[in-house]
Amino acid sequence: MQELTASSFELASCQATVFTPDGDLSVSKAMKDFYPSFADLFDGAPVALPPLPQGVPFEIPRIILESATHEWRCELLPARASVVWQRSDSTRTPIELGEFFQKGLAVLLEYSDRLKTRVGRLAALATRFSEHDTPGLFLARHFCKDRWDKAPLNRPENFELHAHKKFTIANEFQVNSWARSKTGRLSPARNERPIVLFEQDLNTLAEEPSSKSFDKGEMERFFKSVGPELDAILKLYFPGM
């Protein structure tokens, strides 16, 4: 059976997020003071919602910015701001994680500075994939003892493994680390080939004091460290032969 190592995986998407618990997003101020600085990156048509009634959940995007190639996306909500890079059908060379977090950090720093928004939590996500003829069987044999791939895991069409732990990165940030290995398929434009998906999420703890406010230096150190950390975790799950 085809074996996979960390080098077998390609980047499908990555995301940098800051959580803004005070929920004081001003759509007009964001479009006037923040958006023009990144109009070249997000050169598609922006979407900005008009004022919404009180009680509308904070998790509904108020502003969506996107590149014309559909690779770059920025979502601004009262509760958070996110920058996303996502592979599109026109992508020739995926972005490097370090480059993405550098660009994403610049956007998020400008946003928090222009709107004077308190940042209470930080998060970094990455999704990678590798084509495989039998991804369910591969994952079952990769993560389970031999006796389990006789029965009941001898012919799995699909398989998922979720793992969560807490640790410290950069000798400074306590984080939740989620790793999810599962089966999937490529988009119809890429012939819907079966794949192994590896999803990662590193985020600072929600249990930290409600008054927590990450400053510019902390944000820079966090997003500088997460790229190598995500790569190191991938290698733990899919080591070289």
Side-chain angles (χ1 to χ4, degrees):
M1 179 182 295
Q2 174 191 357
E3 291 295 328
L4 300 180
T5 66
S7 61
S8 305
F9 287 81
E10 301 177 51
L11 192 63
S13 66
C14 40
Q15 178 175 323
T17 294
V18 296
F19 292 87
T20 52
D22 296 336
D24 53 359
L25 170 62
S26 167
V27 172
S28 59
K29 185 173 178 58
M31 293 303 295
K32 175 179 177 290
D33 296 340
F34 162 73
Y35 170 60
S37 299
F38 296 97
D40 289 342
L41 178 61
F42 304 111
D43 55 351
V47 176
L49 297 184
L52 299 177
Q54 282 191 334
V56 174
F58 279 2
E59 288 301 320
I60 294 178
R62 305 304 202 260
I63 299 173
I64 300 175
L65 310 175
E66 194 171 30
S67 66
T69 64
H70 304 295
E71 290 184 330
W72 287 90
R73 183 180 178 90
C74 178
E75 292 188 353
L76 304 180
L77 299 73
R80 61 177 169 82
S82 295
V83 180
V84 179
W85 180 91
Q86 185 168 341
R87 191 183 191 115
S88 73
D89 293 334
S90 62
T91 300
R92 294 293 176 263
T93 304
I95 196 169
E96 295 290 334
L97 273 183
E99 180 186 357
F100 166 75
F101 286 116
Q102 183 179 20
K103 289 186 176 182
L105 171 64
V107 174
L108 296 173
L109 284 175
E110 182 77 4
Y111 173 73
S112 62
D113 180 59
R114 290 285 186 176
L115 275 74
K116 307 303 179 187
T117 303
R118 179 171 69 91
V119 174
R121 291 181 63 207
L122 307 170
L125 296 82
T127 299
R128 314 190 216 208
F129 72 95
S130 181
E131 294 187 26
H132 198 287
D133 291 335
T134 54
L137 184 58
F138 163 74
L139 287 174
R141 291 183 174 177
H142 186 71
F143 289 116
C144 301
K145 292 184 177 179
D146 290 345
R147 65 185 179 125
W148 295 111
D149 66 21
K150 305 298 187 293
L153 300 179
N154 57 334
R155 293 187 303 274
E157 292 289 332
N158 298 289
F159 187 94
E160 291 191 23
L161 175 74
H162 291 197
H164 168 254
K165 58 184 177 180
K166 295 180 181 180
F167 56 87
T168 302
I169 64 172
N171 298 315
E172 182 177 5
F173 303 100
Q174 283 282 320
V175 297
N176 292 295
S177 173
W178 283 97
R180 302 174 179 89
S181 303
K182 61 183 182 181
T183 54
R185 287 190 175 274
L186 292 174
S187 67
R190 299 192 66 188
N191 302 318
E192 294 190 340
R193 288 273 297 150
I195 56 174
V196 172
L197 272 170
F198 189 65
E199 300 175 340
Q200 298 170 266
D201 184 347
L202 289 175
N203 57 81
T204 57
L205 305 184
E207 297 85 352
E208 290 185 336
S210 59
S211 60
K212 174 66 178 178
S213 180
F214 287 95
D215 62 28
K216 178 182 178 181
E218 289 173 314
M219 292 171 63
E220 289 175 339
R221 292 193 296 276
F222 177 83
F223 285 112
K224 183 178 180 180
S225 65
V226 288
E229 191 67 42
L230 291 167
D231 285 341
I233 293 170
L234 174 67
K235 291 176 182 177
L236 289 176
Y237 281 84
F238 299 96
M241 300 301 292

